[in-house]
Amino acid sequence: MTSRPSSSRDSASAPPSAAPEGLRARRRRETAQAIHAAAVRLVERDGLAHVTVDMISAEAGISPRTFFNYFPTKESALAVGPPPLTDEQRRRIGEGDPRPRRVLADLVDVLIHHLDEDPPLSGGRRHFRAMVRIASAHPELAAVVHARFDAFESELTGVVAQRLGVPATDPLPALLTGLALSVVRVGLQQWSTGGEEPAERDGTHGTPTAAGRRDTDEPGDSSPAAELRHAAALLRTLLSDQPE
């Protein structure tokens, strides 16, 4: 759920080959994620009011100037949202069989892969929980996160409406999008609470280590994809006796 910063200078100097552009985009995502992860670690440790851009930059191993190439404020580095859909993902959702069940199945499948590759989720359960705690403690951050998710839902609804051949104001695209996002919410909730330690439920979070991890972190934290797929399977079961 990381911002994808853009640079007109990079675009102007990019070679025509698609491969270097892919490498550059990956490096941008990796840097943005390193900044985001550093911000989360520091705010968890010191509190939002005591963390500065200089501190985040030092923790991420970059300069403050580089930080501002990615995020305008420290708050924006914390308030992440879903990454934009790729052209291929938009095509998979927006083209094909217009029957609602088929649209829903494709939408859920795309969202599972989309979120499974999202850098903040790849940080593991502890990182995800920390993001939730920080947003919950700071309403201004929660408002930004909700706004980004609302914009993402509106984007999805528009693409679904395109496939159905109906206006975006029609209730069916919104209903299908809402069902798909409910699968995501349930799957992420189940994943994020998996392996939760008693200490964390009591409000303590282990001892920080030099690497920014905590002594209760699972060394092999699982991907959320399995729980997302399980939630999708439950939805398919519920719909299995219904007509197309």
Side-chain angles (χ1 to χ4, degrees):
M1 298 179 235
T2 309
S3 300
R4 284 190 176 180
S6 60
S7 168
S8 58
R9 182 171 60 251
D10 284 348
S11 298
S13 61
S17 169
E21 291 177 351
L23 177 61
R24 186 176 294 113
R26 185 172 73 249
R27 286 176 175 169
R28 287 198 194 106
R29 287 194 298 272
E30 289 171 350
T31 301
Q33 171 56 11
I35 295 169
H36 167 72
V40 169
R41 287 196 299 271
L42 291 175
V43 171
E44 271 278 278
R45 188 188 72 191
D46 300 330
L48 181 62
H50 301 289
V51 173
T52 66
V53 167
D54 285 348
M55 291 169 63
I56 296 171
S57 301
E59 178 78 4
I62 60 168
S63 69
R65 181 177 180 179
T66 298
F67 176 97
F68 288 117
N69 286 336
Y70 288 82
F71 300 102
T73 63
K74 66 181 182 182
E75 289 82 3
S76 64
L78 292 162
V80 298
L85 293 171
T86 66
D87 290 342
E88 173 60 20
Q89 288 168 337
R90 290 181 66 88
R91 185 195 65 76
R92 282 200 60 200
I93 296 170
E95 299 177 6
D97 190 334
R99 285 178 294 177
R101 287 268 297 278
R102 298 291 188 255
V103 177
L104 180 60
D106 285 347
L107 181 56
V108 169
D109 186 57
V110 168
L111 286 176
I112 289 174
H113 287 89
H114 187 58
L115 293 176
D116 191 43
E117 296 172 356
D118 193 26
L121 295 183
S122 68
R125 294 187 184 100
R126 301 303 168 111
H127 179 80
F128 185 80
R129 292 170 190 159
M131 289 194 300
V132 172
R133 284 193 295 269
I134 291 169
S136 298
H138 301 281
E140 68 278 18
L141 295 181
V144 174
V145 172
H146 286 309
R148 291 178 180 174
F149 273 92
D150 287 345
F152 183 67
E153 184 169 1
S154 295
E155 179 188 13
L156 287 175
T157 300
V159 179
V160 170
Q162 171 189 319
R163 178 159 165 182
L164 293 171
V166 300
T169 54
D170 188 280
L172 183 55
L175 178 60
L176 293 175
T177 301
L179 283 171
L181 289 176
S182 293
V183 168
V184 170
R185 291 187 186 100
V186 170
L188 288 181
Q189 175 67 23
Q190 292 299 309
W191 168 73
S192 68
T193 56
E196 186 169 306
E197 300 284 345
E200 186 157 2
R201 288 195 296 270
D202 292 339
T204 58
H205 312 297
T207 303
T209 67
R213 291 176 61 84
R214 300 181 182 275
D215 61 5
T216 55
D217 279 354
E218 302 95 335
D221 212 353
S222 65
S223 160
E227 289 293 351
L228 292 170
R229 286 203 264 307
H230 179 60
L234 291 175
L235 178 63
R236 284 195 298 272
T237 299
L238 291 173
L239 297 176
S240 61
D241 294 331
Q242 302 301 316
E244 288 286 349

